Amino acid sequence: MSVSAELLRAFVGVGLHLSFSKAAKANGVSQSAISQSIKQLEKDLGIPLFERTTKSVAFTKAGRELFETSVEAFSILDNGIVKLQERLSREYKSLHLAATDTLSKHFLLPTFKSWQEKKLDISLRVTNRPSRECVEMIESGEAQIAVVHAYDDLFDNNHLEVIDLQSMQDIFVGGTAYQDESKLWTIDDIMAEPLLLLTTGASSRTFFDAVTYNRCTSPAFELGSLDVLIDLVEINLGISLVPELVARDKLKQGSLVELKTNLQIPERRIVLVRSRMDALTEGVSQFINILKDRKQ
């Protein structure tokens, strides 16, 4: 069966937005034209691709399968075109990465070193922002890839490819004044202490609020830097919930102590995010390969 690529492009547009009007606007055509394209594709295939109501659009099971296949196929085609352009024009000489400052320092440093050792003719530019802002940079086209802490609605965005990199465990820590290996901290014990937290909106703050059921309304300190927060915990100004990978060195040195609690603290994930509709340039491919090599 031969299916028009133009119809499939229209279908992918609707699938990305789950909206006929938004797909029409993105493609610079009328909503009627998009609607007719989807009806024609469904007629050609003999299967419904979307479940439509007056307020929403959702994939059918077959529609979801076709969407995944179509995005992959167009990505391969677009990648081939971009790589050809790269070889001919050599204009893609840089890679723009968005990442949190915490992950840049405590997770990505070995990757940056490997990148440098490869001596690629591609410059690497890194912008540090909170996780959600990093993802917004991908959506706006300001950055090509982002390395962030995963958050719930990140996986609901059909525009984005999310690649799992590593798990991350958070722990409660305090300075040496909190050294008591026999104590099992309850949430009431934690709430009774000065709490040092990142500002509202940071993924680590949102995670803390979820773990502690939003019980902290007045932290002792609200900070924009996790490194500064750790420094203040180290001099016994309070306690905090931080990624173990951030506190690891100071735990080994003995200037921080882990507080054992009866709270259930789930793992978080470190992920790489890129636009599904952007081609894999040489720089993006090389960076992803370095990260994958680290996992092996």
Side-chain angles (χ1 to χ4, degrees), residues 9 12 27-28 53 66 98 109 168 171 184 186 191 210 262 281 284:
R9 286 278 190 188
V12 168
N27 286 277
T53 69
L66 181 61
L109 280 184
M168 185 177 74
I171 58 175
L184 183 66
T186 67
M191 290 299 128
N262 63 356
T281 65
V284 171

Side-chain angles (χ1 to χ4, degrees), residues 12-179:
V12 168
V14 176
L16 287 171
H17 298 279
L18 290 178
S19 165
F20 282 76
S21 59
K22 290 181 180 179
K25 184 176 180 180
N27 286 277
V29 298
S30 68
Q31 183 172 338
S32 175
I34 287 287
S35 180
Q36 289 301 316
S37 293
I38 300 305
K39 288 180 180 178
Q40 185 61 52
L41 181 59
E42 290 177 324
K43 180 180 179 182
D44 292 346
L45 295 175
I47 52 174
L49 301 173
F50 295 107
E51 295 175 351
R52 308 164 176 83
T53 69
T54 55
K55 294 184 178 180
S56 66
V57 177
F59 285 113
T60 62
K61 182 178 180 181
R64 167 59 72 178
E65 292 177 4
L66 181 61
F67 176 77
E68 297 293 340
T69 301
S70 299
V71 167
E72 182 178 0
F74 283 129
S75 177
I76 291 171
L77 176 61
D78 292 341
N79 289 341
I81 293 172
V82 167
K83 287 180 179 179
L84 175 61
Q85 290 174 329
E86 285 183 322
R87 288 195 298 270
L88 294 176
S89 66
R90 302 304 300 169
E91 291 178 353
Y92 293 85
K93 293 286 189 176
S94 66
L95 171 63
H96 190 181
L97 163 71
T100 69
D101 54 357
T102 300
L103 293 179
S104 292
K105 178 177 180 179
H106 298 282
F107 176 71
L108 287 172
L109 280 184
T111 303
F112 295 153
K113 182 178 180 181
S114 297
W115 175 275
Q116 188 69 18
E117 289 172 347
K118 280 183 172 288
K119 297 182 178 179
L120 300 167
D121 187 24
I122 304 170
S123 65
L124 176 63
R125 180 158 62 100
V126 181
T127 298
N128 292 141
R129 296 282 189 277
S131 291
R132 288 182 181 273
E133 291 184 24
C134 288
V135 173
E136 288 172 2
M137 292 179 69
I138 299 299
E139 294 178 297
S140 67
E142 294 177 70
Q144 293 157 279
I145 53 176
V147 176
V148 300
H149 303 111
Y151 50 87
D152 288 342
D153 54 349
L154 174 63
F155 300 91
D156 298 333
N157 191 331
N158 288 325
H159 285 262
L160 303 175
E161 178 185 11
V162 182
I163 301 172
D164 184 73
L165 297 177
Q166 182 177 303
S167 64
M168 185 177 74
Q169 183 63 55
D170 289 77
I171 58 175
F172 280 96
V173 294
T176 53
Y178 290 90
Q179 181 73 56

Side-chain angles (χ1 to χ4, degrees), residues 101-102 171-175 194-199 202 204-205 208 219-243 246-247 250 256:
D101 54 357
T102 300
I171 58 175
F172 280 96
V173 294
L195 288 167
L196 285 72
L197 306 176
L198 291 181
T199 53
S204 291
R205 173 63 179 274
F208 172 88
F221 288 87
E222 286 188 286
L223 302 147
S225 166
L226 189 56
D227 287 333
V228 175
L229 184 153
I230 289 285
D231 290 340
L232 296 183
V233 171
E234 190 177 16
I235 60 174
N236 296 303
L237 292 188
I239 64 176
S240 190
L241 179 67
V242 301
V246 175
K250 292 184 184 293
L256 287 182

